[in-house]
Amino acid sequence: MSVGQLPVVARGLIPDERFASCRGTVMDANPDMSQEMAGRIVEEALKFVAACSRNPGVGLAPSRIVDDGWHALLLHTAVYAELCEELGENFVHHFPGYDPTNYDPAILERTRQAITDLGYVPDVELWGDPSDETLAAVAAQCQHAPECTIRPMPKPEWP
């Protein structure tokens, strides 16, 4: 993949074995979770990181469920660094914070729209209220919104 070009399926942003490893991290943190659900979560996290990288300064945020997949990507530091490098100029930093009252549907809608604008289809079931654990209970204790939305920082230019 060259910078500027995204794969049709977000899962293609990282090699299959790395995707499987990140999916395994989600499953390790959430022992009762199915492999299929963990895969959906990691794929949404990939879409989220791509949207953030391509929309610096917009202020996007993951849902609590998607944030668990983002955490899995972050734990695979080499994979994550390569992903951000492939996506372009903006490294997507994580600023943890948790307050379930931070739930802001407008920020999540803006994030889903940014994902759609890249040509991906958001898995809307994974973008809901942080207290709704009927679909998937996750270990992530983060809820980003509104003061801790994600604003990617350009790569520093070294002399």
Side-chain angles (χ1 to χ4, degrees), residues 48-129:
F48 169 71
V49 173
C52 288
S53 178
R54 299 297 172 96
N55 292 281
V58 172
L60 305 176
S63 68
R64 183 169 173 217
I65 291 175
V66 173
D67 198 49
D68 209 53
W70 190 20
H71 290 179
L73 290 168
L74 289 162
L75 288 172
H76 293 77
T77 58
V79 172
Y80 190 72
E82 289 172 15
L83 170 65
C84 287
E85 180 76 25
E86 285 289 323
L87 288 170
E89 294 299 313
N90 299 299
F91 187 89
V92 182
H93 292 276
H94 183 273
F95 299 96
Y98 181 67
D99 178 352
T101 65
N102 275 346
Y103 175 60
D104 186 338
I107 290 173
L108 295 183
E109 178 56 37
R110 183 170 62 231
T111 303
R112 287 191 306 267
Q113 186 59 54
I115 289 169
T116 301
D117 291 347
L118 292 178
Y120 297 127
V121 177
D123 186 340
V124 294
E125 288 185 318
L126 300 182
W127 288 91
D129 183 306

Side-chain angles (χ1 to χ4, degrees), residues 2-60:
S2 63
V3 173
Q5 177 185 6
L6 292 173
V8 176
V9 177
R11 186 175 176 158
L13 288 166
I14 59 176
D16 288 343
E17 69 276 358
R18 293 178 179 180
F19 183 89
S21 184
C22 291
R23 181 182 60 213
T25 298
V26 171
M27 291 170 67
D28 288 346
N30 303 285
D32 295 329
M33 185 174 288
S34 71
Q35 181 173 315
E36 185 266 337
M37 177 57 73
R40 287 172 61 190
I41 290 170
V42 172
E43 185 157 2
E44 288 307 297
L46 289 167
K47 294 172 189 177
F48 169 71
V49 173
C52 288
S53 178
R54 299 297 172 96
N55 292 281
V58 172
L60 305 176

